[in-house]
Amino acid sequence: LKEYSPYQNVRPGRPYPPTLLTTSTRDDRVHPGHARKMTALLRELGYDVRYYENIEGGHGGAADNEQLAHKSALTYEFLWRTLSPDPAAAKPASELSRVRPPKQEAHETPVGAGETP
């Protein structure tokens, strides 16, 4: 296990990319403590790591489609901020100017409406 365990093989000074770790408090197959430990270790060594733990869901990390959409949005935002060649994209949302979304039909509800990431 030690040979292929990501946790056992973290070393200081290696060029790790920015990392997003996600888990669910109610995962009955992989305890969320593993993601928590890995996040703590990477932060202790000074690496850029983000962590998201859903308190519901299970092994898939989401209890319903709304939570899955939220988790997917977090993942896509992380990728956009990490991989974008535009330096403004890497800024935290609080530093970006707010852009009003296009007007939607009355029956449509935007994903994550009223939530702050």
Side-chain angles (χ1 to χ4, degrees), residues 11-76:
R11 301 286 183 264
R14 287 188 178 166
Y16 297 124
T19 306
L20 172 66
L21 296 172
T22 65
T23 189
S24 171
T25 304
R26 296 185 179 178
D27 189 335
D28 59 353
R29 296 184 202 153
V30 180
H31 193 278
H34 296 290
R36 294 174 194 155
K37 268 179 64 173
M38 184 65 150
T39 300
L41 177 60
L42 289 170
R43 285 183 179 164
E44 181 182 312
L45 295 175
Y47 290 106
D48 182 6
V49 62
R50 289 164 186 85
Y51 177 80
Y52 174 73
E53 181 171 341
N54 187 5
I55 60 170
E56 297 180 305
H59 190 62
D64 55 30
N65 286 338
E66 184 177 350
Q67 289 179 8
L68 181 59
H70 178 75
K71 188 175 132 185
S72 294
L74 290 174
T75 303
Y76 288 129

Side-chain angles (χ1 to χ4, degrees), residues 94-115:
S94 61
E95 293 181 27
L96 298 175
S97 61
R98 299 254 176 204
V99 177
R100 188 170 293 204
K103 197 170 191 176
Q104 297 187 350
E105 297 294 322
H107 65 278
E108 293 181 11
T109 303
V111 174
E115 294 179 313

Side-chain angles (χ1 to χ4, degrees), residues 77-92:
E77 180 184 18
F78 170 77
L79 290 171
W80 177 259
R81 290 179 187 275
T82 303
L83 301 175
S84 177
D86 179 8
K91 292 182 180 178

